[in-house]
Structures are given as C-alpha cells and as structure tokens.
Amino acid sequence: MSKKSKSFIMPTYGERDLLFSKGKGSYLYTPSGKKYLDFAGGIAVNSLGHCHPKLVNVLKKQSEILWHTSNLYKNNNQELFAKELCKKTFADKVFFTNSGAEAIECGLKVVKSYWNLKNKRKKNIITFKGAFHGRTFAALSAQKNKKYSEGFTPLLTGFRNIPFNDEVALIKNINKETAAILIEPIQGEGGIKPASLKFLQYLRKVCDKNNILLFLDEVQSGFGRSGKLYSYEWAKIQPDILATAKGIGSGFPLGACLATNEASKGMVQGRHGSTYGGNPLAVSVGREVLSIISDKKFLKNVDTVSRYFWQKLKKLEHYYEEIVEIRGAGLLLGIKTKKNNVMISNLLRKNKLLSVPAGDNVIRLAPPLIINKKHVDEAIKILNETFEKLI
C-alpha cells in the first residue's frame, strides 16, 4: 500500500509498508519475490513455520467436512484434543479459546469462581512488573503497564503488581486475601526476561503453603518454544492454571485455558462460553501441531538448535559494545542494545531478517521451531552485517 492510499483499517498498528504474499517454512516472500528469513514467527506464533504440509493437509481435509457448529453440540475431535493436552501436561480440564488474551480471561474467571465457590475472601491476584497478558481490560489491569493502558482507565481493581524475580517483594505482598499468582515463565513483551527456575519453584512452595492458586501465562513461552512442551517443566513444578495460545495453532487462531480438577471446580454450566472456541477447523490443526511438537525428538532438536543459537549470539555480545546483553531461553531470545531497538529491528528488516521489538530496548527473536543450524548461521550473518554498520 502506498503512502497516499487510504486505509479503512483502524490505525492502531501505524503505517505498514511491508507486504508478504507467500510463506514457506522459515521464509516469507513479497509479491516481487524478495525473500525474508522470518525470525519474528508471527510474534512467536508460527511454531511449525509457514504452510507446513501436514497442517495444510489436515486443514484442507477438515474444511471439506465441517467448519462450525458452536459449543452447543459435542465435538469428538475437541474431546480428543482436550484429552491429549491433559495427558501431556498437569491439567485435568481444558477450555478452548481463539487467542491468548481469551485464555488469560478464562484463567482469571477460574480463579474467581474457585474462591467464590469456597466462600473465601480471596480477591487479589499478584502479578509482575514488565508482564504482558493481553489487551483486554482484565489483562490491562493485571499487568499495570502504562504503555498499553493509557487512555483506557479506570482499570479493574484486585491486582497487586510487584517486581519480577523478587522473593522478598512476593512475601511482603501476600496476605489472607491473595487468591492467585499470575506469571509468565519468560516475559515476552517485557523484554525477554526469564523467571529463574529457583523463583518458579519458590512460587509453587509459597502457593502450597498459603493456599494460593498458581496461574502461568505460557501464551508465548509454551508449545515447545523453550525446548519443553511448556516452560514450567524446566523448573519441575506444576501450576494450577495455565493459559496457552500462539504456537498451539502454528498460525491458526487457537488458544486454551488448562486447569486441574480442583482449580476448575467453579467453572460449571453457564459460567463461561465461546462461540468459536475449539471449532472443528482449529481443533484439527491443533491436534496435528501437538502431535508434531510433543515428539521427544522434535523437542530435543529445538533444545539443540536453541543452544547453538545462544552460543552464536553470546559471541556477538562479546564482540559488539552496542550489544548490552543476550537474554531468553529456548527459541525465545532477545538482544538488548544501546541504540534504539526499533531502529535496529528496521535495519535488520532491510537486510531481510525479521525480528520484533520488545520492552527494555530488546530485539526479540522468535523463529519457527523447525529452524536448523543453517538458518541460525544465516541470521547471525545478517546480525553481524547490521551491527558492523552501527559501529
């Protein structure tokens, strides 16, 4: 679209001038045939890359059978997907959504319904500075980030926002009214900041001791991105509630809220709903994605490639003074820079490498999980060329 063309889309994303007409594997192509290495991954969404043949086949097959019936009727494929998710995780129950924000909203209702059912005066949820849980009112209220909430006040009450990875601050803010703790194992929008495994383990102990629900936001860090199906597995803990999306559909709109039987006791008939959530198209894709990503060989390869990528990025960190720090885990990595991250991200884009700016002046790299070491080397070459010109 040219600058003079009129757009009928709300300008919430500003002016966009890069258009893609085709995607295959880890690459995107413009109408003129220019090829870009996609290390943005649709913002950590395209877990199996673009147009994965198995996903194309399963979606095409389902599209010729049944698209939508609503959740008024039983869906055998949906039941199977829920069972498979539960067998591979901590969960006993699943609620299917269309996005990560919806999965977060559902999880917050799980928390509220649980304590209301028990007639307990537990109304506060602890969240962490730098968090991003979505764009809905509850999510904006939970993360308390002015960057996203400006213009939408007053926000909802009942959230206590404290420093990330801070055990002392956590204990100071826990009382009899604490209902749950909501945390991203790896903060995405906040600057690719992992919670330490020790801190996650500490959260679980604190929740057990104080009768508090542990709610993990794995919308961005889940579905294989860390080298495990979900990042909490690295800490060898289990949450009570978990929100998942992005990689679960590898580009098809899909999300889910997972919970234990105990935590979801209050979610009885009529308490929540979704017209499209868990529709036949989404579920058919989700089941295939889960089948591929949950394979141990696949996850081992993600871990191997991510460690290789980390080592290459650390070499860049030592070589370029412009790079302050390499952060992250698995294939959710960040480069904190001295110069403006948006400017550098744009330079990378000109050099045919796609990335996404994140908070704390970080360049986010969230490539498809199907990348290999050659893709990493290609990305490193472009990063080298780009930072070389900044000196």
Side-chain angles (χ1 to χ4, degrees), residues 149-295:
S149 62
E150 186 177 359
F152 301 109
T153 54
L155 298 176
L156 302 176
T157 59
F159 296 97
R160 290 193 175 188
N161 198 244
I162 68 171
F164 192 57
N165 270 331
D166 192 326
E167 295 182 9
V168 175
L170 176 67
I171 294 302
K172 284 183 179 179
N173 282 275
I174 285 179
N175 56 39
K176 292 180 180 180
E177 294 186 336
T178 305
I181 296 172
L182 170 59
I183 188 170
E184 299 163 275
I186 308 170
Q187 287 190 343
E189 300 295 329
I192 318 301
K193 300 175 182 175
S196 72
L197 300 184
K198 180 183 175 184
F199 188 63
L200 290 174
Q201 292 162 354
Y202 185 69
L203 288 180
R204 182 68 269 178
K205 290 177 182 178
V206 167
C207 287
D208 290 340
K209 182 179 179 180
N210 294 278
N211 196 19
I212 296 169
L213 295 173
L214 179 58
F215 181 6
L216 298 185
D217 178 347
E218 291 236 35
V219 169
Q220 192 158 173
S221 64
F223 244 74
R225 188 143 295 275
S226 71
K228 299 280 190 183
L229 186 59
Y230 285 103
S231 296
Y232 72 80
E233 296 175 49
W234 289 106
K236 297 182 179 179
I237 62 166
Q238 292 189 338
D240 301 294
I241 308 163
L242 180 144
T244 185
K246 289 190 180 287
I248 193 175
S250 192
F252 198 95
L254 176 61
C257 178
L258 282 58
T260 62
N261 278 326
E262 177 64 20
S264 59
K265 274 184 176 179
M267 298 297 278
V268 296
Q269 185 174 348
R271 286 293 176 90
H272 199 44
S274 172
T275 300
Y276 296 109
N279 66 76
L281 293 169
V283 166
S284 66
V285 174
R287 288 192 69 197
E288 189 66 29
V289 174
L290 177 61
S291 174
I292 295 169
I293 289 182
S294 62
D295 182 86

Side-chain angles (χ1 to χ4, degrees), residues 73-96:
Y73 312 105
K74 187 174 181 178
N75 179 333
N76 283 334
N77 218 19
Q78 188 187 85
E79 292 284 349
L80 287 171
F81 190 25
K83 181 180 179 180
E84 289 160 1
L85 278 170
C86 288
K87 282 187 172 293
K88 293 179 184 298
T89 66
F90 72 97
D92 301 303
K93 298 294 182 185
V94 178
F95 183 93
F96 289 111

Side-chain angles (χ1 to χ4, degrees), residues 35-37 344-354 378-379 381-387 389:
K35 181 181 178 182
Y36 287 74
L37 180 59
I344 297 176
S345 189
N346 287 336
L347 289 175
L348 290 171
R349 191 173 79 172
K350 287 182 179 179
N351 291 330
K352 308 297 188 298
L353 176 65
L354 301 176
E378 185 180 349
K381 182 181 178 183
I382 297 173
L383 285 163
N384 243 321
E385 291 171 352
T386 304
F387 277 99
K389 292 178 181 179

